[in-house]
Amino acid sequence: MPGAMRYTLSILGLLLLLTSCGPDGKPGILGRLRVDSLEAVQEEPQRAEQPETPDTAAFAAAFNQFFNALQSGDTAALNSFVGAEHGLWLIEQPGAVPAYSHFRSIEQVQRKYQQRPFTSINQEVKACQLQHRDTFPGFNCADMDGGATGFAEDGCFYTFSTSGFQSTDMWQYAELSEQQAQQVQELQQQVEATVLHTGTSYRFHFGYRHGRWLLLFADLRVPCSA
């Protein structure tokens, strides 16, 4: 048999061995490679869906970007802190009970107080020298006399101890549908960092998603005012 013919037959035999099933009925080498590749592609979305560890070291820098955007009224930059999937919940207290309002973008926000936009917050929160605290300073309405904030310590603080807000049930006093109440409860569980501005008592609750810190709740309630 000519050498060229033997070489061709050898190559064909090797390809048949690679692609055919083995004696146990399982795919050959190339078949197994294709199966492994397909399984890897199928598993990739599952890996992507796994929760990410919050980048706590980067939170202060992320909040400063948010605060600078707020001060300059940059709604485009502020929108980068609003997730497309769950949006932003605004919590206010125009009367005796809290009011929850849901928005998909910063431009949509209309505060209960005079229908002001979200960026109007910068008229009240003019400075925020962020400081870390394991727990926030205590508060007492009786200590608000003479223009005091009522907090044991004044400043702008952030914490990663968010279990108190995660478990709060004040949503049940608001006029929410069953679906909205469920959404609020689920989103509360995703809050991983909170900023407190004692001068206004405003709190900003953030969650970490897809490598970004997002604003989930802005609590603009004023204590002792109801």
Side-chain angles (χ1 to χ4, degrees), residues 5-186:
M5 180 64 71
R6 284 198 300 271
Y7 177 79
T8 301
L9 291 176
S10 298
I11 293 299
L12 291 174
L14 179 59
L15 290 174
L16 180 63
L17 176 63
L18 290 172
T19 57
S20 65
C21 294
D24 55 0
K26 296 181 178 180
I29 297 174
L30 286 181
R32 288 196 299 271
L33 288 175
R34 285 196 296 270
V35 170
D36 291 343
S37 298
L38 178 60
E39 290 176 350
V41 170
Q42 292 173 337
E43 291 173 359
E44 186 60 33
Q46 297 177 1
R47 288 195 293 268
E49 292 172 1
Q50 293 177 354
E52 297 171 295
T53 301
D55 189 356
T56 55
F59 176 74
F63 178 79
N64 285 332
Q65 292 176 3
F66 166 81
F67 186 75
N68 290 335
L70 178 63
Q71 292 302 303
S72 63
D74 188 342
T75 55
L78 287 171
N79 272 330
S80 68
F81 289 91
V82 179
E85 183 179 359
H86 295 292
L88 162 69
W89 283 91
L90 204 66
I91 309 174
E92 300 172 274
Q93 191 150 341
V97 296
Y100 284 69
S101 303
H102 184 253
F103 303 97
R104 289 292 181 183
S105 69
I106 292 296
E107 290 91 347
Q108 291 181 351
V109 174
Q110 287 188 326
R111 297 171 59 183
K112 297 291 184 182
Y113 179 61
Q114 298 180 348
Q115 300 296 295
R116 291 185 175 186
F118 185 85
T119 51
S120 67
I121 296 173
N122 62 19
Q123 300 172 25
E124 303 152 85
V125 183
K126 296 183 180 296
C128 183
Q129 299 298 319
L130 209 56
Q131 304 174 64
H132 178 258
R133 293 290 187 273
D134 291 330
T135 58
F136 288 145
F139 175 83
N140 192 326
C141 286
D143 295 333
M144 295 183 69
D145 295 339
T149 65
F151 288 93
E153 181 183 6
D154 285 329
C156 199
F157 308 107
Y158 72 100
T159 186
F160 299 116
S161 300
T162 60
S163 59
F165 182 77
Q166 289 178 350
S167 61
T168 184
D169 63 353
M170 64 179 177
W171 52 266
Q172 67 180 329
Y173 303 106
E175 296 180 355
L176 295 175
S177 67
E178 184 176 344
Q179 181 181 13
Q180 289 174 325
Q182 183 66 28
Q183 291 172 350
V184 167
Q185 292 176 77
E186 291 177 355

Side-chain angles (χ1 to χ4, degrees), residues 197-218:
H197 180 263
T198 65
T200 56
S201 299
Y202 292 171
R203 298 174 189 245
F204 303 92
H205 303 280
F206 292 81
Y208 191 76
R209 290 186 173 187
H210 309 302
R212 295 191 299 143
W213 285 100
L214 299 176
L215 180 65
L216 306 182
F217 296 88

